[in-house]
Amino acid sequence: MPAVSKGDGMRGLAVFISDIRNCKSKEAEIKRINKELANIRSKFKGDKALDGYSKKKYVCKLLFIFLLGHDIDFGHMEAVNLLSSNKYTEKQIGYLFISVLVNSNSELIRLINNAIKNDLSSRNPTFMCLALHCIANVGSREMAEAFASEIPRILVAGDTMDSVKQSAALCLLRLYKTSPDLVLMGEWTSRVVHLLNDQHMGVVTAAISLITCLSQKNPDEFKTCVSLAVSRLSRIVSSASTDLQDYTYYFVPAPWLSCKLLRLLQCYPPPEDGAVKGRLVECLETILNKAQEPPKSKKVQHSNAKNAILFEAISLIIHYDSEPNLLVRACNQLGQFLQHRETNLRYLALESMCTLASSEFSHEAVKTHIETVINALKTERDVSVRQRAADLLYAMCDRSNAKQIVAEMLSYLETADYSIREEMVLKVAILAEKYAVDYSWYVDTILNLIRIAGDYVSEEVWYRVIQIVINRDDVQGYAAKTVFEALQAPACHENMVKVGGYILGEFGNLIAGDPRSSPLVQFNLLHSKFHLCSVPTRALLLSAYIKFINLFPETKATIQEVLRCDSQIRNSDVELQQRAVEYLKLSSIASTDVLATVLEEMPPFPERESSILAKLKKKKGPGAVSVTELEDNKREGGELNGGGERGPDTTAMAASNASTPSPSADLLGIRSAAPVGAAPTSAGSLLVDVFSEAGPAAPSAAVNDDGFLRFVCKNNGVLFENQLLQIGIKSEYRQNLGRMYLFYGNKTSVQFASFTTTVSCPGELQPQLNVQTKQVEPLVEGGAQIQQVLNIECLTDFSDAPLLNIKFRYGGALQNLTLKLPVTINKFFQPTEMSSHDFFQRWKQLSQPQQEAQKIFKANHSMDTEVLKAKLLGLGAALLDNVDPNPENYVCAGVIQTKGQQVGCLLRLEPNAQAKMYRLTLRCSKDSVSKRLCELLAEQF
C-alpha cells in the first residue's frame, strides 16, 4: 500500500471532529455542523478549483457528518471525481463515500461504474482491490449486471496478483448471494475449482468460500472440487505447524481453511474413487488422533482452533455415515467432552451425539454414555446444555432402555426449567407410546405426566391417551381403574379430569362391579370436580353424564336432577346450556334402545401421523430439528411399538383422514365422530391419532355446482346451504363489469375459526376473466353473517366459471367446500331494442353455419308463459314483442360486452306445447358464444 504523506493527516478534519466532541448540547452540535456544511457547499460551488487534498478533506467531513446521523444531499459529484485521482488516499476516500452514501438508483451510477471499470483494467493491484471492495460493499443488482462477467476473468487470470484474486473471489461471492441469476460461471467453472491448488493460502481460503456457496446450488457442476479439496486437506493435516508458518494459529496449521474444506466436502456424498476416499479417511483419522495428543499450548485459542477442526471432521463423518470405525471413534471422542470443564464443549458434544445416535453404526456406542447424559440432565447449570442432554436421551432411547430414560425424564420434569417443560412433555409422551409393549405402563406414564406437569400437557397428549384406550380393548379396564384412582387425589389437574371424564364415560362399566367404584361413586367423583373446571371441560363432563345414563340406568334420576338445575339449563354459556337442555330431553323421551344407539361406544379411530410428533417437529428451539429428524432416520423394526410384527418402514404414527374433535371432545360424536365403519387397528399396530391441532389435511373438496344453473337467469338467492353454513348471493352487472356480494351465514351456535375464502379462475379462464376479492374476517361467531365483495371484469368471452373455495374450523374439524360461482357469459348482456325488420335483417346477416347454435329438447319445467318471459328477461337480453310472425315464439336481442370486443346475439325460442318440446336457436357474431349460450339456456326451460 502507498505510504501516506504527512500532509494527508487532514488537520482541518481533526479540528472539526474535536469541535463536535466539545459541543455541550445537541443544539450546539447542529449549529457547528450547519456552519461546516455551509462552508463546504461554498467551497464546492466557488470559482476556484479545489485540489485533490481539499476535495478529500471536505468529502471526509461530509462522511463524518453522515455517520453522526445527519442527511447529506450534496458532495456526491466531488466524491466521484476523487475516483479518477491517481493518489491512493484520495481514491480510497472516494470509494468509501460511494460505498456508504450512494444508492443503486443514483444518477451517478453510470459515472461510478465507468470509474470502477477503469480501475479494474488499470492492472494496478491497489486500485483493483479498492474497486472490488466497492462493488462488494454496494452489492446491488446494477453492480452485478455491470461486473458479474468481468470479475471471474480477473479471478482466474494468470497475471492477477494474489491479493486481487482474494478480493475478486469474495466480491464474486457477494454478488452471487445477492443476484445468483446474474453470476453465471459457465466456462470459468473448472478454472475456479483449480484455485484450490493455488500456492497462496489466502487465495485458497477466499476461493473455497465461493466454491462452497456455488456447490450448494449447483453440486454437479463443481463435483470435481472433491478430489482437490481432499488433496489440499491432506497436505494441511499432515503438515507440521512450522510448514505453514504464516497460516499457523497457535500451533494449529490453517484452522480456518481446514474447517472450510471439511464443510465443502459435506456438500457431496462419499467419494467414489477408492484412492480419494482412502486419503480422506486417513485425514479424518489423523484429525481424531491429533485430538488425543497433549495440547501444545495452554492458551484457549489453541484448544478452540483444534476443537473447531475436530467438530467439523465429526460432522463430515456423520454426514457420510458409512465408516463404522470412524463413527465409533467420533462417539468416544465426544464422550470425553461430556465431562469437560468448558460448557461450550459439553454443549457441542451433546448436540453432535444426538445426530450420531441416529446411525446404526454408532447408536450402541452412544448408549454407553447414558449415565453421563442423565447426570448432565440433573446437574448442569446451563439450561441450554440441559436441553441438549434431554434431546440426546430422546435420541438414544430404544426398547432396551425406554423405561429407564422415561423414568429419568419424568423425574427431571418436576424441577425442569419452565422454558423446556412443554418440549420435555412431548418427548416423554412420544417415547412412552413408541416403545410401549405393555400398554398399562403407557397409561401409567401419561397419567403421571399429567400429574407432574399438567399445565404443560398439551391437548395432543391427552387426546392421544384417549385414542389409545379406545383402540385397545385389553387396556380399557385398566385405564378406567387407574384414572378413577387418580381422580381421587385432593388436587387434580384439569387435564386429568378431561381424561377421567372421557374414559369413565366410555368404559366406566368395566369397573362398576367393585362397590368402591360403583356408578354413583364414579358420578359423584366426577361431579365433585365440575365446578372447578373451565367451560370446555364442563361440556365434556356433561357428555360423560349422558353416557352414564346409558351405561348405568340407576343413575338416571340423579343425573337428570343435575341437568335440570338452573345452573345448567340457564347457564350463561350457550354451549353448556344447549348440552344440558338437549341431554335432559334425550334422557327423558328416548327409549332404551334409541339411547343405546345414540350413545354407543366410540368406534376405533383410523390411523394417522402422531400429532404429538408433529407438534415436536414445529419446535423452533436450537437443535430441535436435528432431534426430531431422528424419527425419519432411526427405523428399528424390533424396537417399534408392537415388537417384531412391525416392518422397518412402519412409522411410529401412521396417517389418517379422521376429523379433529374440539377441546371439549364431544363424546356423543355429534360434531366429529370417526367413521362408524372404521376398521379396528390390529393388535400390533401403533395407535392412531385423530386428535390433531391442525386437524387432518383437508381433502381437496369436490366442486359443488348444484346451485350454479339456478343463477343463469337470476342474480340473487341462496347459492349453497347445509346444516352449518348458508351462502347467499347478490350481484349486479353493467357492460363488462360486475359486482357480486357473498353472504356467509353461520347457522350454528358455535364459532367458525380460521374462516378463509379463495376465488380462483381455473385453466383458460385466467386471461378471460378478472376477479378481485376482499378478505373476510377469520372468525364467524355463532348465528352471525359476514359479507364479501367480488369485483369482476370480463376481458373476453368465456365458458368456464370461477371457483370459490371455503375453509373453516367447526368444533375443531376442518371443513372444506368448493363451489362454482354463477358468473356466466350472459351476465354481460346489454339489451338491444329492435324492430321486426331490423331483427330479421340482422338474423340473415348471421347466417354462417359456425355462427348458429341450435338445440331441440324436451321441456324440463313448466311451459307457463309468464315463467318463460321471466327467465328470458333474467337472461339479460331484450325480450322483443310483436317481432316473430308466430306469436307463440319468443325472440331476444342483445350485445355481450367484453373488454376487448362486443358480441351481438340474437335468440329465438320456439315452444311446442303439445309435444312439450322446445327448439332454441342462437346466432352470434362469435361462434363460441353461440354454443355456450345454447348449452346454458337449454337447461333453463
Side-chain angles (χ1 to χ4, degrees):
M1 230 159 264
V4 179
S5 65
K6 187 174 182 181
D8 286 335
M10 291 186 288
R11 184 171 176 274
L13 176 64
V15 171
F16 174 62
I17 293 174
S18 177
D19 290 347
I20 293 294
R21 289 176 175 171
N22 292 331
C23 289
K24 302 297 184 183
S25 63
K26 185 70 175 176
E27 291 75 15
E29 178 184 309
I30 294 173
K31 184 177 178 181
R32 177 68 182 89
I33 288 172
N34 288 337
K35 178 182 176 183
E36 190 63 38
L37 287 174
N39 177 55
I40 297 172
R41 190 178 272 110
S42 66
K43 294 291 185 182
F44 284 166
K45 289 184 176 180
D47 298 332
K48 186 179 178 182
L50 294 176
D51 59 12
Y53 169 79
S54 300
K55 281 184 185 178
K56 178 184 70 172
K57 177 177 67 175
Y58 293 134
V59 167
C60 267
K61 287 183 179 180
L62 290 176
L63 189 57
F64 179 72
I65 292 170
F66 176 77
L67 296 177
L68 288 176
H70 299 272
D71 292 332
I72 299 298
D73 56 3
F74 69 98
H76 299 74
M77 194 64 207
E78 284 69 20
V80 173
N81 290 337
L82 285 175
L83 299 184
S84 59
S85 172
N86 287 323
K87 286 190 175 181
Y88 169 77
T89 53
E90 294 174 9
K91 190 181 288 285
Q92 181 194 35
I93 296 300
Y95 274 122
L96 181 61
F97 187 93
I98 297 301
S99 300
V100 175
L101 271 91
V102 175
N103 60 51
S104 58
N105 298 322
S106 172
E107 297 175 357
L108 301 173
I109 201 71
R110 184 174 295 177
L111 292 174
I112 296 169
N113 285 353
N114 287 335
I116 291 175
K117 284 181 180 177
N118 291 335
D119 284 338
L120 289 179
S121 59
S122 68
R123 313 311 297 171
N124 182 322
T126 305
F127 293 172
M128 292 177 76
C129 286
L130 283 175
L132 290 167
H133 295 167
C134 180
I135 296 171
N137 286 333
V138 176
S140 65
R141 189 169 182 83
E142 289 73 14
M143 287 286 188
E145 289 173 348
F147 302 108
S149 59
E150 175 70 11
I151 297 173
R153 185 187 61 77
I154 296 172
L155 176 61
V156 300
D159 58 345
T160 303
M161 298 278 289
D162 292 334
S163 59
V164 178
K165 284 186 178 181
Q166 289 176 257
S167 297
L170 296 177
C171 179
L172 199 58
L173 174 61
R174 163 73 168 154
L175 294 182
Y176 184 77
K177 287 182 176 179
T178 55
S179 305
D181 56 314
L182 296 178
V183 181
L184 304 174
M185 300 308 296
E187 59 184 302
W188 309 112
T189 300
S190 61
R191 297 176 69 179
V192 169
V193 169
H194 276 83
L195 288 174
L196 294 177
N197 274 337
D198 198 278
Q199 294 181 349
H200 194 278
M201 297 289 281
V203 173
V204 180
T205 305
I208 198 168
S209 298
L210 173 63
I211 294 169
T212 302
C213 186
L214 293 169
S215 298
Q216 289 168 349
K217 297 288 180 68
N218 307 294
D220 291 338
E221 288 185 31
F222 291 88
K223 60 184 178 183
T224 55
C225 70
V226 173
S227 58
L228 296 178
V230 171
S231 175
R232 176 63 78 169
L233 180 66
S234 176
R235 277 179 274 165
I236 295 172
V237 168
S238 60
S239 65
S241 58
T242 54
D243 295 344
L244 302 170
Q245 198 160 0
D246 291 340
Y247 286 87
T248 296
Y249 179 79
Y250 288 88
F251 303 102
V252 180
W256 284 276
L257 180 55
S258 300
C259 289
K260 288 185 175 185
L261 287 166
L262 290 164
R263 197 164 295 165
L264 172 61
L265 292 171
Q266 291 176 48
C267 297
Y268 293 93
E272 296 177 0
D273 188 320
V276 175
K277 186 175 181 180
R279 195 172 184 184
L280 177 57
V281 169
E282 187 180 329
C283 289
L284 295 173
E285 287 178 342
T286 304
I287 293 172
L288 292 175
N289 291 335
K290 285 187 175 182
Q292 301 285 349
E293 294 175 359
K296 296 179 180 178
S297 170
K298 293 184 178 180
K299 293 194 174 181
V300 69
Q301 291 91 338
H302 170 74
S303 60
N304 284 346
K306 191 174 172 183
N307 291 329
I309 298 172
L310 174 64
F311 276 102
E312 209 61 63
I314 290 174
S315 295
L316 181 61
I317 292 169
I318 294 170
H319 171 73
Y320 284 166
D321 194 21
S322 59
E323 296 293 329
N325 181 47
L326 288 178
L327 285 164
V328 173
R329 285 195 62 187
C331 181
N332 294 335
Q333 183 64 51
L334 292 172
Q336 296 177 20
F337 288 141
L338 291 179
Q339 295 176 311
H340 199 279
R341 59 185 178 85
E342 179 62 42
T343 305
N344 289 336
L345 277 180
R346 296 197 302 275
Y347 178 95
L348 291 170
L350 289 166
E351 190 174 48
S352 297
M353 288 185 80
C354 281
T355 315
L356 276 173
S358 66
S359 171
E360 58 178 318
F361 301 118
S362 55
H363 183 75
E364 292 300 322
V366 172
K367 283 166 59 179
T368 61
H369 301 283
I370 186 170
E371 295 300 333
T372 307
V373 179
I374 290 172
N375 185 58
L377 185 67
K378 294 177 179 178
T379 60
E380 275 289 349
R381 297 168 64 182
D382 190 306
V383 63
S384 61
V385 181
R386 291 199 296 275
Q387 187 168 3
R388 292 289 81 78
D391 290 343
L392 180 52
L393 283 176
Y394 174 79
M396 68 168 62
C397 187
D398 57 28
R399 196 168 60 180
S400 66
N401 57 18
K403 290 191 176 182
Q404 178 190 3
I405 287 177
V406 168
E408 292 292 349
M409 293 177 84
L410 277 174
S411 173
Y412 172 65
L413 255 179
E414 298 190 31
T415 56
D417 297 80
Y418 296 113
S419 60
I420 64 172
R421 282 194 181 187
E422 184 180 2
E423 189 174 332
M424 289 282 293
V425 166
L426 292 174
K427 287 176 176 174
V428 169
I430 291 169
L431 294 178
E433 178 190 348
K434 184 175 181 181
Y435 299 113
V437 177
D438 176 7
Y439 281 95
S440 59
W441 172 75
Y442 171 78
V443 172
D444 288 340
T445 300
I446 299 300
L447 294 183
N448 203 18
L449 193 64
I450 295 173
R451 180 186 61 78
I452 293 171
D455 290 337
Y456 300 90
V457 174
S458 61
E459 291 177 341
E460 288 82 4
V461 175
W462 74 265
Y463 286 169
R464 192 76 171 153
V465 71
I466 287 170
Q467 161 201 322
I468 282 177
V469 172
I470 287 175
N471 281 54
R472 303 268 322 185
D473 295 338
D474 56 341
V475 80
Q476 290 165 358
Y478 181 81
K481 176 175 177 293
T482 307
V483 80
F484 175 78
E485 293 172 353
L487 286 172
Q488 292 176 333
C492 192
H493 195 274
E494 188 168 337
N495 281 335
M496 187 72 79
V497 178
K498 291 176 183 177
V499 175
Y502 210 124
I503 291 178
L504 292 179
E506 292 289 333
F507 310 111
N509 59 312
L510 300 178
I511 59 171
D514 190 332
R516 293 171 296 178
S517 55
S518 64
L520 276 176
V521 172
Q522 290 184 43
F523 170 73
N524 290 330
L525 179 60
L526 282 176
H527 197 55
S528 66
K529 315 290 183 185
F530 186 89
H531 303 289
L532 303 174
C533 295
S534 63
V535 169
T537 307
R538 293 185 188 187
L540 187 149
L541 289 177
L542 288 178
S543 296
Y545 296 169
I546 190 67
K547 286 271 190 174
F548 269 38
I549 292 178
N550 178 47
L551 292 175
F552 316 117
E554 64 269 27
T555 63
K556 182 174 180 179
T558 306
I559 294 174
Q560 283 183 333
E561 191 61 34
V562 170
L563 295 174
R564 195 177 287 116
C565 67
D566 286 350
S567 62
Q568 304 303 336
I569 62 174
R570 295 184 181 177
N571 196 292
S572 59
D573 185 85
V574 65
E575 174 72 16
L576 293 180
Q577 184 187 107
Q578 183 178 355
R579 289 195 184 216
V581 171
E582 291 179 358
Y583 292 167
L584 179 61
K585 201 68 175 175
L586 180 65
S587 66
S588 302
I589 65 173
S591 66
T592 306
D593 292 339
V594 171
L595 207 60
T597 302
V598 174
L599 303 174
E600 65 181 351
E601 279 186 16
M602 288 289 286
F605 294 114
E607 294 186 1
R608 62 166 293 121
E609 181 189 4
S610 168
S611 59
I612 308 178
L613 186 58
K615 188 176 180 73
L616 183 60
K617 288 181 179 179
K618 288 180 185 176
K619 301 296 283 182
K620 300 299 183 185
V625 173
S626 63
V627 172
T628 53
E629 280 175 351
L630 297 169
E631 300 305 324
D632 301 323
N633 298 332
K634 186 173 67 173
R635 299 298 184 209
E636 301 178 65
E639 292 175 357
L640 290 177
N641 182 5
E645 296 177 20
R646 305 291 291 171
D649 295 330
T650 307
T651 55
M653 295 78 186
S656 91
N657 293 321
S659 300
T660 304
S662 64
S664 55
D666 192 340
L667 284 164
L668 289 176
I670 291 173
R671 297 184 193 146
S672 53
V676 175
T681 53
S682 63
S685 67
L686 290 174
L687 290 163
V688 298
D689 187 7
V690 296
F691 303 109
S692 164
E693 176 185 354
S700 50
V703 177
N704 185 318
D705 59 358
D706 294 345
F708 176 76
L709 292 173
R710 296 200 311 270
F711 286 85
V712 172
C713 294
K714 67 175 184 177
N715 291 334
N716 306 330
V718 176
L719 177 64
F720 173 84
E721 185 170 13
N722 63 10
Q723 69 272 24
L724 303 179
L725 177 70
Q726 182 187 68
I727 303 175
I729 189 171
K730 181 179 180 181
S731 52
E732 54 190 11
Y733 296 86
R734 181 171 298 173
Q735 295 185 350
N736 71 313
L737 301 176
R739 177 169 291 174
M740 180 180 288
Y741 299 88
L742 294 172
F743 303 91
Y744 306 100
N746 183 347
K747 295 175 62 178
T748 73
S749 59
V750 180
Q751 182 189 68
F752 290 168
S754 304
F755 192 93
T756 58
T757 63
T758 307
V759 177
S760 60
C761 293
E764 297 178 352
L765 190 60
Q766 280 190 339
Q768 298 169 346
L769 202 66
N770 183 20
V771 182
Q772 296 179 338
T773 62
K774 293 184 178 179
Q775 293 300 317
V776 295
E777 293 295 325
L779 297 178
V780 184
E781 299 296 337
Q785 184 185 78
I786 60 173
Q787 174 184 304
Q788 184 178 28
V789 181
L790 276 62
N791 291 316
I792 305 164
E793 181 182 16
C794 179
L795 305 176
T796 183
D797 64 284
F798 60 94
S799 58
D800 212 337
L803 300 179
L804 170 67
N805 179 254
I806 304 159
K807 291 181 182 177
F808 62 93
R809 284 194 182 285
Y810 168 74
L814 183 60
Q815 308 292 326
N816 189 357
L817 177 68
T818 302
L819 306 172
K820 261 190 180 181
L821 281 178
V823 181
T824 50
I825 188 64
N826 64 288
K827 300 296 182 184
F828 301 96
F829 255 132
Q830 294 296 305
T832 304
E833 294 293 336
M834 283 182 165
S835 65
S836 177
H837 175 267
D838 293 337
F839 180 86
F840 284 105
Q841 185 180 19
R842 181 62 177 154
W843 185 266
K844 290 177 182 178
Q845 291 172 353
L846 299 172
S847 58
Q848 296 182 20
Q850 67 268 25
Q851 292 177 325
E852 181 180 280
Q854 188 178 85
K855 193 167 187 179
I856 299 172
F857 54 93
K858 278 188 172 294
N860 296 318
H861 307 284
S862 168
M863 299 184 75
D864 182 82
T865 304
E866 296 303 317
V867 173
L868 287 175
K869 286 183 177 180
K871 288 185 176 181
L872 289 170
L873 287 170
L875 178 66
L879 180 60
L880 306 179
D881 293 327
N882 303 320
V883 170
D884 197 288
N886 184 347
E888 299 295 326
N889 294 346
Y890 301 89
V891 292
C892 300
V895 176
I896 290 179
Q897 301 276 352
T898 73
K899 185 178 182 181
Q901 65 180 132
Q902 297 181 341
V903 183
C905 300
L906 300 178
L907 176 149
R908 193 177 190 191
L909 181 66
E910 302 169 79
N912 184 337
Q914 292 180 347
K916 295 198 178 296
M917 301 277 288
Y918 288 103
R919 180 165 66 182
L920 174 65
T921 309
L922 278 141
R923 291 189 179 182
C924 302
S925 58
K926 196 168 184 182
D927 56 340
S928 57
V929 176
S930 305
K931 293 175 183 175
R932 180 56 179 159
L933 285 175
C934 193
E935 291 171 1
L936 289 171
L937 292 176
E939 302 293 332
Q940 302 301 310
F941 304 106

